[in-house]
Amino acid sequence: MARSSWYKNTGAGEAGRWHAAARALVVALLLCLGAVHGWAQQTDPKPSKPKSTQKQANQKSGGAKQVAPAADAKPTEPKSSDAKPATVKQADPKQSEQQQMRGLDEQIQEIKSDVLSMSQELRGLEEKLLYPSGTQIAIFVGIAKDDTMRLDAVKLQIDGQLVAHYIYSAKELEALRKGGVQRIYVGNVATGNHKLEVLAEGKLDSGSDFSHAQSFTFSKEVKPKLVGLTLAGSGDAPIALGEW
């Protein structure tokens, strides 16, 4: 019995030993397999490009396509070559001379108008100095309305002294026929009564000459005196006196 129990004890110990050794062997094999798998992954890695580098590559490739000119596109010439060269017109010397002459004419006309205005002002000042308002007398001559006689000359005497003798031109006669008035005399007389003698000579429409003479008396006051004479070729009063 003792021997059988020993056999039993020794058999159970050997079985435990074999069981532990098998476990250790299995663990070692598993470790070896794991190590081999890890080494294989390290030694044979799959090539993989990063996403960022792929995007950059795509952008480069796409940008290259946009920038690249199309094969069908026609080459365009620069605009500067299409523009025609500007031509500079040379001034015509004749035109420039004409413009200068026009400018000179305009300046001359302006100077003439200024001179005329100045002469009128001087004449007014002269009349004021030579003919003060207290002694001034002015005599005007006109032609009766619708009278067609030709007036050749007019003579005026004041107090027996010849003060005016005027011969008319065709233009002046035409102006008188249209209603114009001529200042034939301006002078000085003292205040009081004076005698005016008028002599008018001319030609009628019939071709005959006429000579009308008439005397008037007028009164001079302190203020300036304006006397008007209306002449006619025929009629009861070929010379009419009026105060203006």
Side-chain angles (χ1 to χ4, degrees):
M1 290 292 294
R3 190 176 284 181
S4 60
S5 63
W6 182 77
Y7 283 122
K8 289 180 180 181
N9 293 331
T10 53
E14 289 179 357
R17 292 174 183 171
W18 281 106
H19 185 72
R23 283 184 176 180
L25 182 61
V26 170
V27 170
L29 288 173
L30 290 174
L31 291 174
C32 289
L33 289 173
V36 169
H37 181 71
W39 177 79
Q41 288 180 350
Q42 290 178 359
T43 54
D44 189 15
K46 294 181 179 178
S48 63
K49 294 182 180 179
K51 294 181 179 180
S52 59
T53 55
Q54 288 180 358
K55 287 182 179 179
Q56 289 178 359
N58 293 328
Q59 288 178 357
K60 288 180 180 179
S61 60
K65 288 180 180 178
Q66 292 177 357
V67 172
D72 298 335
K74 295 181 180 180
T76 58
E77 296 180 356
K79 293 182 179 180
S80 59
S81 60
D82 297 336
K84 296 181 179 178
T87 58
V88 178
K89 294 184 178 178
Q90 295 181 354
D92 191 358
K94 291 184 179 179
Q95 291 182 356
S96 62
E97 288 179 359
Q98 290 178 356
Q99 291 179 355
Q100 290 178 358
M101 292 299 293
R102 288 176 184 173
L104 290 174
D105 291 338
E106 291 177 355
Q107 291 179 359
I108 290 169
Q109 294 298 327
E110 290 179 357
I111 291 170
K112 282 183 178 179
S113 63
D114 293 339
V115 170
L116 289 174
S117 62
M118 290 175 66
S119 65
Q120 289 179 355
E121 292 178 357
L122 291 173
R123 188 177 298 174
L125 293 172
E126 184 181 3
E127 289 182 357
K128 287 181 180 178
L129 292 173
L130 296 175
Y131 314 111
S133 60
T135 60
Q136 186 182 47
I137 181 173
I139 299 174
F140 297 87
V141 172
I143 293 179
K145 187 177 180 182
D146 298 332
D147 197 302
T148 57
M149 62 95 175
R150 191 188 73 187
L151 182 62
D152 293 335
V154 173
K155 287 183 181 179
L156 299 178
Q157 290 183 356
I158 296 176
D159 299 332
Q161 293 183 357
L162 181 64
V163 294
H165 183 201
Y166 195 85
I167 299 173
Y168 294 91
S169 64
K171 289 183 178 179
E172 292 171 343
L173 180 61
E174 185 67 22
L176 291 174
R177 285 174 176 171
K178 290 181 178 177
V181 176
Q182 177 204 8
R183 191 177 73 171
I184 190 172
Y185 173 72
V186 59
N188 295 312
V189 293
T191 57
N193 294 329
H194 297 275
K195 184 180 180 181
L196 174 64
E197 297 178 22
V198 182
L199 176 62
E201 296 177 344
K203 187 170 287 205
L204 299 174
D205 292 339
S206 59
S208 60
D209 296 337
F210 71 87
S211 179
H212 302 302
Q214 197 165 354
S215 298
F216 303 95
T217 301
F218 66 92
S219 177
K220 173 68 175 69
E221 298 177 356
V222 177
K223 62 182 181 181
K225 182 72 174 181
L226 302 178
V227 177
L229 297 173
T230 303
L231 308 179
S234 61
D236 298 335
I239 301 174
L241 180 67
E243 293 187 1
W244 295 359

